[in-house]
Amino acid sequence: MTDAIISIRNITKRFGQVVAVDNISFDIPTNEFFALLGPSGCGKTTLLRMISGLENPTEGAIILDGVDTTGIPPNRRPVNMVFQSYAVFPHMNVLENVGYGLKVVGTPKSEIETRARDALQKVQLPELAERMPDQLSGGQRQRVALARALVKEPKVLLLDEPLSALDAKLREQMRLELANLQASVGITFIIVTHDQDEALSMADRIAVMDSGRVSQIATPEELYESPKTRFVADFIGKVNLLDGTVGSAGGKQITINVDGVGQLKVPLEGDAPSGEVAVAIRPEKLKLSSRKPAGDDVKIQGKVVNLAYYGNASHVFLETDSGLPMTANVQNDTRDFEGAIDVGDKTWISWRPDDALVLTE
Amino acid sequence: MESWKTNRFVFWVMSLPGTFWLLVFFLVPMSLVWIMSFGEKTGILTIDITWTLENYIRSTETVYLEIIWKSVWVSALATIACLLIAYPIAFAISFAPNRWKPWLLLAVILPFWINLLIRTYALIAVFRTRGFVNFSLEWLWDGANSILNFVGLGQFQLLGERFEALPLLYNNGAVIAGIVYVFMPFMVLPLYANIEKLDKSYLEASLDLGASHVRTFWSIVVPLTMPGIISGIILVFIPALGSFLIPDLLGGTNAQMIGNVIERQFKAANDWPFGSALSFLLMYATFGALALRAVLSREGGGMNA
């Protein structure tokens, strides 16, 4: 990629014997909203801190806007960070906090005031400029941290779990606001999160990380609909995974032998795999019916083991006749769903062959 | 069941030992000394409480004000020296690996477990004319001189004809050094407690926003550790102001502090009323300083320790 604002090249970070980040390489283009997603301890925060300069990579280099950042301390990198704890300085008021990053590099006083107030406008906090941090709510403090970073006009803005400390309602609202803010300021955002919804709803592209490695980098739709590995399929949303072995491959289809289920036809993209694989089907793609469905759909028989009601949808926990657990998401699009299906009911489980996916890793 | 926190009886029983202690060993003796400061010496062993202000008037004589003023600046210098030495120590301990911290703290507290008298006498052995500092300096002088001789410059006596021992003991410098040495833990511990609980992400945020390490120290670390700095200053300055053993042993005749004068009134001079008045003069000054600090910290936006 030629217009990459940031280029991660073979980055490895070891803490003693522990490998936190294991030989990662990828590029992020200008003006992208990029998410590093993964469970805790997967190395995503370490990677973010290496971009900021607060940690140094053991091996590899980070190229920022064409400049190798190796050896450049954090205070001389054109990147700024919004910390998980916000780290809003408690002994300065909001305006002083936002202006701090300009003051320390010798920006004239009058300019600091104008730019700081501008930044507060961007995060919709202009009226709180004189408040002290202990008079602010968590959400407001976060906006101060955002304004404080944005006022520096960084080439890349780093956000470390920015929404984790907010309550659910506010979090949803901030997701939208962050996405809008990113679009309006035109700065590359890199956000670290363990929350898949957060990443899916905000980011242009997501890197899913697992044990210090990147499992897949893709758009939210690609990650959800075409995960490359079991880990990604399982981490992003819920998935039914059926273990099997590759039977025959022909044309654009492949047959997978799943124990107790039989042969499943799955569409094939690219080269035919061989050996042990898994068939992945999202729960909302399963259809349940009491009578055997007609047509080419894959159909297996099972029974309802448990039900979980979520208002707009219900999770139906199933067990196939051969004993495999499966989960279906059923939209409660009529008001009498609960009466229509019950624990213990025999049911046909079916899905379109195109909705299943073969995972080799 | 009623919580013990809201049970008045439990509350009174629990606070009894502390109240008893404060009353019998602090308030009552202090009151006696306070009353005595308004007394008159009428015989070798008899004192009449006449509510005279004579003792206070006498204690504002120039000779006493001078020695109080000298005690203040000696203590102030010692406190500043303590702060300058203790801050890096506290900082280093706070940033040391976790398994080292208890040992480093122990090293700070360890001298504290040794009797003050012994520690002060040990300092005499270090500072006196034939003491360890002068021995070391003499050794260096000898070494330097033999090098000069070796390179053929011996005849110029560049370092003087013979080694002159430095007068390190029995002056204000020795008293300040003694106070710094004895009261160092009182400065290190509150500073350490404050730096330790300081959220390190403030420092990272400051660096991230473009501040140098030096700038971060002055703009972020110092203001945020101010409660610890103030506590440390109070914990060192107040006892330093009243110290008498250290100036007595290390100070000689010219480096007496107000504590020595007070001690003399109670012992050699046998003038308890005057000694009491001097003590309370010091006490009023201390209360004044503490009150000032309380007012200042309230204005500072509730950042008190």
Side-chain angles (χ1 to χ4, degrees):
Chain A
M1 229 176 286
T2 48
D3 61 343
I5 186 80
I6 204 162
S7 185
I8 312 288
R9 297 200 184 148
N10 304 99
I11 285 291
T12 296
K13 176 70 182 179
R14 277 186 287 269
F15 294 105
Q17 295 295 309
V18 183
V19 182
V21 172
D22 191 2
N23 196 12
I24 285 181
S25 299
F26 60 83
D27 285 359
I28 301 173
T30 309
N31 208 357
E32 189 172 62
F33 200 133
F34 190 86
L36 291 168
L37 174 67
S40 59
C42 72
K44 55 191 192 302
T45 297
T46 307
L47 184 57
L48 197 75
R49 288 171 60 83
M50 285 192 281
I51 297 172
S52 75
L54 293 169
E55 302 280 356
N56 290 315
T58 314
E59 282 161 31
I62 295 168
I63 314 296
L64 186 69
D65 200 20
V67 179
D68 186 344
T69 60
T70 308
I72 299 179
N75 51 343
R76 275 189 255 131
R77 291 188 186 199
V79 294
N80 288 102
M81 177 122 122
V82 174
F83 288 80
Q84 186 170 9
S85 61
Y86 312 144
V88 174
F89 305 130
H91 59 301
M92 300 180 191
N93 71 20
V94 168
L95 198 65
E96 286 165 342
N97 257 288
V98 177
Y100 180 79
L102 299 174
K103 196 173 154 197
V104 295
V105 294
T107 314
K109 259 206 173 114
S110 54
E111 193 188 330
I112 295 178
E113 167 108 24
T114 331
R115 282 173 68 182
R117 288 198 187 274
D118 263 8
L120 283 173
Q121 194 82 45
K122 273 183 200 146
V123 298
Q124 294 160 28
L125 272 190
E127 70 282 7
L128 299 183
E130 322 299 333
R131 289 268 185 97
M132 292 305 284
D134 57 4
Q135 300 169 297
L136 301 179
S137 70
Q140 290 168 335
R141 236 174 284 172
Q142 178 182 46
R143 286 162 197 262
V144 175
L146 258 173
R148 189 175 66 177
L150 283 174
V151 80
K152 296 280 287 178
E153 292 168 0
K155 289 183 174 151
V156 178
L157 183 73
L158 310 171
L159 301 110
D160 187 7
E161 302 268 9
L163 307 181
S164 61
L166 304 178
D167 60 63
K169 268 255 156 43
L170 192 57
R171 200 179 313 167
E172 210 143 310
Q173 182 198 335
M174 278 309 287
R175 273 185 211 162
L176 270 175
E177 272 187 39
L178 275 180
N180 291 339
L181 186 67
Q182 193 270 333
S184 70
V185 295
I187 293 172
T188 306
F189 277 31
I190 303 179
I191 184 173
V192 154
T193 178
H194 66 273
D195 182 334
Q196 36 148 326
D197 293 338
E198 217 166 282
L200 290 174
S201 61
M202 290 194 291
D204 298 322
R205 282 196 310 151
I206 300 169
V208 180
M209 290 183 65
D210 174 30
S211 329
R213 292 166 193 263
V214 172
S215 300
Q216 189 173 357
I217 299 181
T219 63
E221 297 89 321
E222 274 175 1
L223 277 185
Y224 190 75
E225 300 296 353
S226 317
K228 287 271 190 296
T229 68
R230 279 161 166 268
F231 177 81
V232 174
D234 206 27
F235 193 75
I236 310 274
K238 293 194 167 59
V239 71
N240 292 299
L241 289 169
L242 305 173
D243 292 311
T245 50
V246 175
S248 61
K252 291 198 158 179
Q253 265 198 341
I254 183 168
T255 319
I256 312 290
N257 297 314
V258 177
D259 285 345
V261 176
Q263 292 197 326
L264 296 182
K265 289 192 184 113
V266 185
L268 177 64
E269 290 161 23
D271 296 333
S274 58
E276 304 277 320
V277 292
V279 178
I281 318 117
R282 295 289 181 191
E284 70 276 10
K285 278 152 186 141
L286 295 184
K287 285 189 274 296
L288 304 178
S289 53
S290 47
R291 262 165 294 159
K292 185 172 182 177
D296 297 336
D297 286 3
V298 181
K299 340 176 222 290
I300 47 181
Q301 275 190 293
K303 66 168 195 268
V304 178
V305 181
N306 217 334
L307 280 169
Y309 180 69
Y310 285 95
N312 62 334
S314 288
H315 290 184
V316 183
F317 300 98
L318 304 154
E319 195 180 276
T320 65
D321 286 354
S322 53
L324 287 175
M326 291 185 88
T327 309
N329 276 9
V330 182
Q331 286 294 315
N332 295 335
D333 41 16
T334 58
R335 286 180 60 197
D336 57 353
F337 167 78
E338 286 286 311
I341 193 161
D342 215 344
V343 174
D345 285 358
K346 282 270 185 191
T347 183
W348 280 93
I349 307 160
S350 63
W351 65 89
R352 291 168 49 224
D354 282 355
D355 288 339
L357 195 73
V358 179
L359 300 176
T360 51
E361 292 174 50
Chain B
M1 200 186 89
E2 200 179 6
S3 158
W4 66 270
K5 283 179 185 167
T6 55
N7 187 323
R8 276 169 164 263
F9 178 72
V10 173
F11 176 78
W12 285 114
V13 169
M14 299 272 277
S15 61
L16 209 58
T19 311
F20 177 80
W21 179 271
L22 272 180
L23 208 68
V24 174
F25 295 108
F26 181 72
L27 279 179
V28 170
M30 288 301 282
S31 308
L32 289 177
V33 174
W34 186 68
I35 290 167
M36 201 177 290
S37 73
F38 297 102
E40 262 174 89
K41 206 170 82 133
T42 51
I44 292 176
L45 292 170
T46 51
I47 294 163
D48 280 356
I49 307 299
T50 55
W51 301 103
T52 171
L53 290 175
E54 191 51 43
N55 297 313
Y56 284 101
I57 292 165
R58 199 178 139 206
S59 62
T60 56
E61 281 171 19
T62 325
V63 57
Y64 298 113
L65 286 184
E66 266 176 5
I67 209 160
I68 288 176
W69 173 240
K70 207 195 80 178
S71 306
V72 168
W73 71 254
V74 163
S75 306
L77 278 181
T79 308
I80 291 167
C82 248
L83 180 64
L84 294 181
I85 300 169
Y87 208 98
I89 294 176
F91 214 77
I93 297 177
S94 174
F95 280 85
N98 271 330
R99 63 201 155 90
W100 289 13
K101 279 180 190 173
W103 298 104
L104 292 171
L105 283 174
L106 186 72
V108 170
I109 302 168
L110 203 59
F112 206 60
W113 293 351
I114 299 162
N115 187 292
L116 174 64
L117 205 58
I118 295 173
R119 276 186 290 160
T120 313
Y121 270 112
L123 274 186
I124 294 180
V126 173
F127 285 142
R128 67 185 166 198
T129 315
R130 308 280 308 149
F132 295 115
V133 174
N134 276 321
F135 283 152
S136 306
L137 288 173
E138 188 171 14
W139 182 80
L140 284 175
W141 187 88
D142 282 343
N145 231 11
S146 19
I147 290 171
L148 285 179
N149 281 330
F150 184 74
V151 298
L153 294 167
Q155 74 273 30
F156 298 116
Q157 307 285 5
L158 288 173
L159 298 170
E161 276 181 47
R162 61 192 145 81
F163 175 72
E164 302 276 354
L166 294 178
L168 297 171
L169 202 56
Y170 307 126
N171 52 38
N172 291 327
V175 176
I176 291 175
I179 292 174
V180 169
Y181 168 60
V182 168
F183 291 111
M184 185 62 76
F186 291 114
M187 187 63 95
V188 173
L189 294 179
L191 282 176
Y192 168 75
N194 203 162
I195 296 171
E196 180 69 13
K197 74 175 185 207
L198 177 71
D199 186 347
K200 304 297 183 285
S201 64
Y202 292 134
L203 316 191
E204 294 189 333
S206 173
L207 290 176
D208 183 69
L209 289 166
S212 62
H213 280 92
V214 175
R215 183 71 195 238
T216 300
F217 179 77
W218 290 111
S219 298
I220 307 296
V221 180
V222 169
L224 290 181
T225 53
M226 201 43 88
I229 294 174
I230 291 172
S231 300
I233 286 175
I234 288 174
L235 283 178
V236 171
F237 182 75
I238 290 175
L241 196 59
S243 58
F244 72 93
L245 185 68
I246 296 166
D248 197 41
L249 293 180
L250 303 178
T253 45
N254 288 326
Q256 296 289 291
M257 286 170 70
I258 189 67
N260 303 103
V261 177
I262 294 172
E263 188 219 7
R264 259 204 309 279
Q265 302 313 314
F266 281 97
K267 289 161 103 185
N270 191 24
D271 191 349
W272 286 37
F274 183 53
S276 305
L278 278 175
S279 301
F280 263 87
L281 207 63
L282 207 58
M283 197 101 123
Y284 299 142
T286 310
F287 285 153
L290 284 177
L292 190 71
R293 186 243 165 178
V295 170
L296 285 180
S297 73
R298 204 174 306 143
E299 281 173 1
M303 292 257 304
N304 48 338

